[in-house]
């Protein structure tokens, strides 16, 4: 259990740099996602080869990859429509959406304790939402991104059962790359591009994209997949609410975004951090009971 939480929090730390790369890379979000998936697929292919997997499982993983790609496009779109801090703070709603999506997928009752913890996060987001009206378009895109992410993580937990983590990530990136290419025209029709799309990265953009793929994709998602073996999707998603805290600290240092926020922003961050600590405490307390009642299951739930 301790090892799973360590893997989870290390992956969250790596995720904290994702928003930074989204700001540093000046390409359109469609290009960022396409090249992120492409470079990640190539890195995994070189180091792991082409894993053998049944066709049905491959299609399921590719579908999850498409959801992940859509989440990334909306996530980067939110950053570019507002700023790094706003783009990543909307990620906090993933836990709220998961509290309802996970019971539907796994045919169990909604945990009202999970809903309560998530509502603390929602309250934090409302404090942040109120600080400046000019960022509300970016916040709207970010909220949609968090819903897609909650759906991805919940389904990913189911379809990745029995498959090695590296194989899961490879086929999600490779299969997702194909599907994302197909949905790009639809995305651009809903969110029209304000600058050139489908360009080849070069210079600093190429360097940042490679670092982004290696550390914030291969490293981060392998750790997340391993953590999902022992933790529920809700616990993983809610813990990922710490990602904005890491990213905001980076953004404050690198881009001086502290000048753009006020006291209500910090109140919101404090509420989000409180929800994460409460859920972590609850997961650790209930784990022995859950383990006894779900012996033999590789993916026990903490609820």
């Amino acid at each position: 259990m301790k090892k799973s939480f360590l893997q989870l929090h290390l992956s969250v730390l790596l995720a904290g740099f994702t928003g930074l790369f989204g700001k540093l890379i000046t390409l359109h979000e469609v290009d960022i996602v396409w090249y992120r998936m492409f470079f990640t697929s190539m890195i995994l292919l070189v180091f792991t080869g082409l894993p053998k997997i049944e066709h049905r499982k491959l299609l399921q993983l590719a579908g999850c990859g498409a959801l992940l790609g859509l989440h990334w496009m909306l996530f980067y779109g939110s950053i570019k429509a507002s700023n790094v801090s706003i783009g990543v703070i909307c990620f906090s709603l993933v836990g709220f959406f998961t509290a309802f999506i996970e019971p539907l997928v796994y045919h169990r009752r909604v945990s009202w304790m999970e809903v309560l913890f998530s509502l603390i996060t929602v309250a934090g987001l409302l404090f942040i939402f109120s600080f400046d009206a000019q960022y509300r378009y970016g916040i709207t895109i970010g909220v949609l991104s968090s819903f897609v992410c909650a759906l991805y993580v919940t389904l990913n937990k189911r379809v990745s059962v029995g498959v090695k983590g590296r194989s899961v990530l490879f086929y999600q990136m490779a299969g997702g790359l194909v599907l994302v290419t197909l949905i790009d025209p639809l995305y651009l029709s809903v969110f029209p591009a304000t600058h050139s799309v489908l360009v080849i990265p070069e210079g600093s953009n190429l360097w940042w994209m490679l670092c982004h793929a290696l550390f914030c994709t291969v490293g981060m998602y392998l750790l997340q997949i391993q953590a999902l073996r022992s933790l529920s999707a809700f616990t993983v998603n809610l813990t990922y609410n710490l990602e904005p805290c890491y990213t905001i600290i980076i953004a404050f240092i690198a881009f001086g975004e502290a000048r753009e926020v006020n006291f209500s922003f910090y109140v919101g961050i404090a509420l989000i951090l409180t929800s994460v600590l409460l859920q972590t405490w609850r997961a650790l307390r209930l784990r022995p009971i859950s383990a006894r009642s779900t012996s033999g299951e590789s993916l026990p739930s903490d609820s």
Side-chain angles (χ1 to χ4, degrees):
M1 191 64 173
K2 291 180 180 179
K3 180 180 178 181
S4 295
F5 271 108
L6 179 61
Q7 292 170 329
L8 175 58
H9 283 278
L10 183 56
S11 73
V12 176
L13 179 60
L14 289 175
F17 287 90
T18 301
L20 176 67
F21 284 115
K23 187 76 170 181
L24 291 172
I25 300 169
T26 59
L27 302 177
H28 188 272
E29 60 262 28
V30 166
D31 290 320
I32 295 177
V33 173
W34 198 93
Y35 284 109
R36 184 180 184 182
M37 288 187 147
F38 174 77
F39 287 139
T40 301
S41 300
M42 293 301 100
I43 291 171
L44 289 170
L45 185 62
V46 169
F47 287 100
T48 67
L50 189 63
K52 293 183 178 180
I53 190 173
E54 62 180 65
H55 291 86
R56 181 171 175 269
K57 184 68 72 173
L58 189 154
L59 292 175
Q60 291 175 338
L61 292 173
C64 281
L67 285 174
L68 179 60
L70 179 58
H71 155 63
W72 281 346
M73 285 190 284
L74 292 167
F75 174 73
Y76 294 126
S78 176
I79 288 177
K80 293 182 181 297
S82 53
N83 60 31
V84 176
S85 300
I86 293 300
V88 297
I89 202 65
C90 293
F91 198 76
S92 306
L93 277 178
V94 172
F96 174 76
F97 289 124
T98 309
F100 295 98
I101 294 175
E102 191 175 27
L104 288 175
V105 173
Y106 292 98
H107 306 291
R108 65 171 176 81
R109 293 181 179 179
V110 173
S111 169
W112 295 109
M113 188 63 71
E114 291 180 357
V115 174
L116 176 62
F117 291 153
S118 299
L119 288 176
I120 296 175
T121 299
V122 173
L125 187 64
L126 289 175
F127 270 97
I128 295 168
F129 187 90
S130 65
F131 89 91
D132 198 330
Q134 68 172 316
Y135 296 127
R136 291 184 178 178
Y137 177 66
I139 290 175
T140 301
I141 302 175
V143 170
L144 182 58
S145 170
S146 68
F147 171 79
V148 176
C149 184
L151 185 61
Y152 158 73
V153 175
T154 303
L155 294 177
N156 182 52
K157 179 179 178 180
R158 166 167 285 187
V159 304
S160 64
V161 173
V163 184
K164 291 183 179 179
R166 288 174 293 182
S167 300
V168 170
L169 186 56
F170 174 76
Y171 284 110
Q172 284 189 356
M173 293 297 105
L177 178 63
V178 175
L179 296 177
V180 163
T181 303
L182 296 176
I183 67 175
D184 279 348
L186 177 60
Y187 179 88
L188 291 172
S189 68
V190 178
F191 304 101
T194 57
H195 56 280
S196 299
V197 182
L198 303 178
V199 299
I200 299 176
E202 55 185 18
S204 61
N205 278 332
L206 178 60
W207 168 250
W208 293 131
M209 283 300 314
L210 288 171
C211 291
H212 194 23
L214 181 60
F215 297 107
C216 297
T217 310
V218 176
M220 180 187 73
Y221 279 97
L222 286 178
L223 288 167
Q224 183 191 107
I225 289 168
Q226 290 302 313
L228 274 167
R229 305 292 188 188
S230 302
L231 305 175
S232 74
F234 178 80
T235 299
V236 171
N237 283 339
L238 193 62
T239 305
Y240 259 77
N241 290 337
L242 285 172
E243 178 187 340
C245 300
Y246 294 135
T247 308
I248 287 168
I249 292 173
I250 297 170
F252 281 6
I253 296 172
F255 304 120
E257 291 187 4
R259 298 188 299 269
E260 303 176 20
V261 302
N262 58 20
F263 180 72
S264 66
F265 184 92
Y266 295 105
V267 173
I269 289 292
L271 288 171
I272 291 167
L273 182 60
T274 298
S275 72
V276 174
L277 294 175
L278 287 173
Q279 173 59 15
T280 301
W281 168 80
R282 179 172 177 267
L284 290 170
R285 184 174 62 88
L286 295 182
R287 174 62 179 178
I289 299 175
S290 176
R292 289 195 298 270
S293 63
T294 58
S295 58
E297 295 181 7
S298 59
L299 292 170
S301 173
D302 66 352
S303 58

